[in-house]
Amino acid sequence: MTTTQRIALVTGGGSGIGLAIAEKFTTAGILTIIVGRDKDRLTAAAKQLGANCQPLSADLSDLTSIPALVQQVIDRYGRIDILVNNAGINMKKEFTEVTDEEFDRILLTNVKAVFSLSREVVKTMLPHGAGNIINISSMASRYGIPKVIAYTASKSAIEGMTKAMAVELSPKGILVNCIAPGFIATDMSAKALNSDQERKQKALGRTPLGRLGEPADIGDAALFLASDQAKYVTGVVLPVDGGNSIGF
Ligand code: NDP
């Protein structure tokens, strides 16, 4: 690590979209700490990405552990320049079958953990008067998708929080943006789409580019938002979706 090297924290960086973001960041020379629950998967991912990647296992749904987690990163690396709130869980179930506990479980990881982690990281960014936060929402917050009520509520909250954070934090030097991925080929989308061909056809049918996106497509967008080229961009929700959100 050099003193000028930027430092990123990417939640869910051990798989799928988070791993692709971490790959783009590390290749661009950013020291990238990847967070997830599965220690073995994180270690393997960090090994794959090389010296610029460091694994840190944690369950972000344990909100009380978040302040100590952030402190651990600060003690070890000095600061956090970029936070990517990518970790998320999904659940596909009929509206009337979803229990209050299940709804809470999705909101806990997808919303409350994002809030708690952002709050703690922002406290460490404020003294530097600089920082970059990237949240990850979904097409579920752009239009209605059946059988994902809790996920939709969570991703709509993410887009609202992005705007609220951007207006409050941008004057203090911290940019806050959001990427809304379309249908991207990962384990999560495979679970939702492969067992439901009608849903898959529907998703692709309204995607002008006619194919699923690659995790690297989201990685490229995150790298752009974290770069100096995006220094006048804050509060946006950027769809990276092959046109899905405007598709017919
Ligand atoms: P994955 O399931 O591959 O990634 C989710 C990641 O989140 C995993 O690495 C997982 O790691 C981590 N995670 C989940 N819960 C926790 C937790 N409690 N604490 C720490 N880490 C956690 O799915 P994707 O890559 O597809 O999804 C990444 C993000 O992109 C999500 O926010 C998702 O909603 C969003 N998205 C994905 C789309 C797609 O088409 N794939 C479309 C739109 C949005 P571990 O299990 O080790 O904890």
Side-chain angles (χ1 to χ4, degrees):
M1 186 179 81
T2 61
T3 46
T4 54
Q5 188 173 26
R6 288 199 301 160
I7 296 163
L9 195 65
V10 178
T11 68
S15 69
I17 289 173
L19 178 60
I21 293 171
E23 185 166 14
K24 294 290 176 183
F25 280 10
T26 52
T27 304
I30 299 168
L31 181 75
T32 306
I33 301 146
I34 54 174
V35 180
R37 292 162 301 179
D38 185 334
K39 198 171 181 180
D40 292 343
R41 189 163 63 170
L42 280 181
T43 308
K47 201 169 165 201
Q48 179 194 328
L49 299 188
N52 276 341
C53 188
Q54 298 288 320
L56 180 59
S57 65
D59 182 350
L60 296 167
S61 69
D62 177 7
L63 302 183
T64 57
S65 70
I66 288 179
L69 181 79
V70 173
Q71 192 54 52
Q72 192 184 337
V73 175
I74 297 298
D75 289 346
R76 180 137 191 218
Y77 302 99
R79 57 178 203 283
I80 299 166
D81 300 299
I82 305 158
L83 168 65
V84 183
N85 286 308
N86 163 80
I89 53 173
N90 195 0
M91 187 190 57
K92 200 170 139 200
K93 218 171 176 190
E94 292 270 353
F95 178 77
T96 50
E97 299 298 317
V98 178
T99 67
D100 292 336
E101 290 72 25
E102 288 168 334
F103 193 90
D104 275 350
R105 189 173 61 85
I106 304 285
L107 272 281
L108 177 59
T109 298
N110 292 9
V111 179
K112 292 177 84 172
V114 170
F115 163 66
S116 294
L117 182 62
S118 300
R119 181 193 59 212
E120 295 308 311
V121 170
V122 164
K123 285 180 192 170
T124 74
M125 288 173 165
L126 286 172
H128 302 285
N132 198 308
I133 299 178
I134 299 167
N135 296 323
I136 306 289
S137 68
S138 159
M139 288 302 110
S141 57
R142 312 256 95 193
Y143 54 81
I145 301 180
K147 295 184 193 165
V148 284
I149 186 65
Y151 183 75
T152 299
S154 74
K155 294 303 187 179
S156 301
I158 287 294
E159 294 197 7
M161 280 160 64
T162 299
K163 295 182 196 112
M165 288 164 71
V167 291
E168 197 168 337
L169 300 174
S170 301
K172 297 170 178 168
I174 301 169
L175 306 180
V176 186
N177 291 294
C178 180
I179 297 170
F183 290 84
I184 310 297
T186 67
D187 289 349
M188 183 186 281
S189 63
K191 235 185 261 170
L193 297 179
N194 288 351
S195 58
D196 188 343
Q197 284 308 310
E198 196 190 337
R199 200 175 182 96
K200 188 168 185 177
Q201 286 322 311
K202 203 152 182 160
L204 287 176
R206 59 170 295 167
T207 303
L209 287 184
R211 56 181 160 78
L212 295 181
E214 295 165 14
D217 295 326
I218 309 304
D220 283 325
L223 184 60
F224 165 69
L225 288 173
S227 76
D228 224 30
Q229 282 69 45
K231 67 181 187 305
Y232 199 57
V233 179
T234 194
V236 303
V237 178
L238 175 65
V240 180
D241 65 348
N244 179 275
S245 54
I246 53 84
F248 174 59

